[in-house]
């Protein structure tokens, strides 16, 4: 095989050009007009290596790899160059920065090279350039192998979710769905994950649809720690209070004020049971105070319900100014 995976390593050799078909979600390959190709110009242990394409004066041979690392790792490879010294070059670029530039003749063995890579997606360009003058040696270069460390291990993975009650959930057409006949012991069985599990990490919305969610993953190897990006906001907070207007000196309401930010809504009741529809705070503060006071019943009380929604919303002060003698 041209591409082999083990743990967090991906090794590429060049018996043929099938490696250019890539590796799903890990590696993709794009050829230039004159690409590198599997050739027997140089061999390692009887196996072809990746040779630069055949070009003429002022020509360029190029192949580009895009690789995604799940964690910090490295790129290692071996190379050989047989060219006009200081004029015809092997260039290796990582994310647009040239990390290797070599030319020359008389070299008969491959040289090793390693470059550190951060987690994330990287672009690796293999390029051979020729000037407009002479040719020397094979007028080419070759890569013996490519080795990436830090890639996602090639484990078969399945996921399930659970909540604080221990209920177990799967995803059906993107909907978090309880597996009603599941029990805790099922989470120790590979067959249960293969039958009921789903293939990719759940989204933020799917995770936060549960109370105190837990993510379970089954894999056939020694997996790395899971990383999930979750965006959550506090649940809507409700504040209840009662305005007591029973004192004999109170004859009405002159104004209502509040100190608040963000989304705060208000509803109220004259009996503590039946509440008005909620309106935003600004609308409520603009209400006719006399009309509200006129609804006060014999118990001379108003029940308020304030609802605070969103991470940046708050209510720090609510004041009713009464009309007195």
């Amino acid at each position: 095989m041209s591409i082999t995976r083990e743990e967090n390593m991906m090794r590429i050799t060049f018996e043929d050009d099938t490696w250019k078909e890539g590796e799903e979600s890990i590696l993709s390959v794009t050829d230039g007009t004159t690409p590198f190709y599997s050739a027997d110009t140089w061999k390692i242990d009887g196996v072809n290596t990746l040779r630069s394409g055949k070009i003429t004066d002022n020509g360029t041979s190029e192949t580009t790899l895009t690789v995604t690392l799940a964690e910090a790792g490295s790129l290692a490879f071996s190379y050989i160059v047989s060219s006009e010294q200081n004029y015809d070059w092997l260039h290796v670029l990582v994310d647009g920065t040239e990390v290797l530039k070599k030319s020359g003749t008389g070299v008969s063995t491959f040289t090793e090279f390693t470059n550190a890579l951060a987690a994330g997606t990287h672009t690796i360009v293999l390029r051979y350039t020729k000037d407009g003058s002479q040719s020397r040696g094979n007028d080419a270069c070759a890569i013996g192998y490519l080795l990436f460390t830090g890639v996602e291990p090639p484990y078969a993975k399945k996921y399930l979710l659970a909540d604080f009650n221990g209920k177990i959930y799967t995803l059906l057409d993107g909907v978090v769905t309880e597996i009603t006949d599941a029990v805790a012991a099922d989470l120790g069985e590979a067959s249960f994950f293969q039958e009921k599990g789903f293939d990719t990490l759940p989204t933020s919305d799917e995770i936060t649809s549960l109370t105190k969610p837990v993510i379970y993953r089954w894999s056939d190897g020694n997996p790395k720690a899971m990383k999930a990006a979750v965006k959550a906001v506090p649940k809507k907070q409700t504040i209840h209070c009662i305005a007591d207007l029973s004192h004999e000196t109170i004859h009405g309401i002159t104004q209502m004020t509040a100190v608040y930010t963000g989304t705060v809504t208000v509803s109220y009741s004259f009996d503590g049971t039946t509440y008005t529809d909620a309106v935003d705070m600004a609308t409520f503060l603009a209400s006719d105070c006399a009309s509200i006071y006129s609804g006060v019943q014999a118990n001379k009380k108003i029940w308020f319900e304030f609802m605070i929604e969103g991470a940046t919303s708050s209510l720090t002060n609510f004041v009713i100014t009464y009309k007195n003698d």
Side-chain angles (χ1 to χ4, degrees):
M1 294 177 61
S2 296
I3 300 178
T4 56
R5 300 272 302 280
E6 183 178 358
E7 295 293 333
N8 70 339
M9 296 181 291
M10 178 173 65
R11 185 180 180 89
I12 305 171
T13 51
F14 307 104
E15 297 92 327
D16 52 42
D17 283 326
T18 58
W19 73 279
K20 292 185 178 182
E21 297 172 6
E23 186 80 357
E24 184 179 4
S25 77
I26 301 293
L27 173 71
S28 61
V29 181
T30 304
D31 279 332
T33 303
T34 306
F36 282 55
Y37 67 102
S38 173
D40 60 5
T41 306
W42 292 276
K43 288 190 172 187
I44 297 178
D45 296 331
V47 176
N48 286 0
T49 56
L50 187 67
R51 184 194 189 280
S52 56
K54 298 178 181 179
I55 55 176
T56 57
D57 289 350
N58 300 309
T60 298
S61 173
E62 183 171 298
T63 289
T64 300
L65 296 79
T66 301
V67 63
T68 299
L69 303 189
E71 61 187 12
S74 63
L75 160 65
F77 59 89
S78 64
Y79 68 90
I80 193 168
V81 185
S82 179
S83 69
E84 183 183 7
Q85 184 77 35
N86 297 325
Y87 291 95
D88 301 335
W89 301 90
L90 163 65
H91 310 260
V92 179
L93 292 81
V94 176
D95 299 329
T97 299
E98 189 168 70
V99 297
L100 179 70
K101 181 180 180 181
K102 292 291 181 179
S103 69
T105 57
V107 178
S108 58
T109 58
F110 282 77
T111 300
E112 304 289 326
F113 181 84
T114 301
N115 185 81
L117 296 175
T121 300
H122 300 278
T123 301
I124 315 297
V125 177
L126 307 177
R127 180 182 295 156
Y128 180 71
T129 58
K130 180 174 172 54
D131 76 343
S133 59
Q134 304 177 36
S135 298
R136 292 287 187 274
N138 291 324
D139 197 20
C141 65
I143 304 297
Y145 70 89
L146 292 165
L147 175 65
F148 292 97
T149 61
V151 300
E152 176 73 14
Y155 301 139
K157 298 183 290 292
K158 290 287 186 178
Y159 299 91
L160 289 168
L161 292 166
D163 64 12
F164 77 109
N165 286 319
K167 295 180 179 179
I168 300 171
Y169 300 82
T170 189
L171 291 182
L172 294 178
D173 298 324
V175 178
V176 177
T177 305
E178 183 185 355
I179 307 172
T180 55
D181 59 348
V183 295
D186 291 330
L187 295 172
E189 299 294 332
S191 58
F192 181 72
F193 277 81
Q194 292 305 313
E195 179 185 357
K196 301 292 188 178
F198 48 95
D199 296 325
T200 58
L201 273 171
T203 66
S204 175
D205 288 342
E206 290 163 351
I207 294 171
T208 56
S209 69
L210 301 177
T211 301
K212 296 183 180 179
V214 179
I215 305 173
Y216 290 93
R217 177 174 71 179
W218 187 281
S219 67
D220 60 6
N222 181 26
K224 301 294 181 182
M226 287 189 288
K227 296 180 180 179
V230 178
K231 180 180 179 182
V233 297
K235 290 186 177 180
K236 184 182 293 185
Q237 304 297 306
T238 303
I239 299 174
H240 292 96
C241 65
I242 302 174
D244 187 345
L245 292 76
S246 61
H247 196 276
E248 60 185 13
T249 62
I250 299 175
H251 299 288
I253 299 173
T254 59
Q255 68 173 351
M256 295 179 292
T257 60
V259 177
Y260 69 99
T261 60
T263 303
V264 179
T265 59
V266 186
S267 60
Y268 60 92
S269 169
F270 296 117
D271 59 11
T273 301
T274 304
Y275 282 81
T276 62
D277 292 336
V279 298
D280 65 87
M281 178 63 83
T283 300
F284 176 71
L285 294 177
S287 300
D288 179 49
C289 294
S291 176
I292 293 177
Y293 182 75
S294 67
V296 174
Q297 299 174 7
N299 54 34
K300 295 291 185 178
K301 292 181 180 179
I302 305 176
W303 284 257
F304 289 97
E305 185 176 80
F306 303 100
M307 288 152 285
I308 305 167
E309 185 172 359
T312 60
S313 299
S314 65
L315 174 61
T316 56
N317 191 293
F318 177 72
V319 176
I320 299 176
T321 302
Y322 298 134
K323 180 180 179 181
N324 302 110
D325 288 336

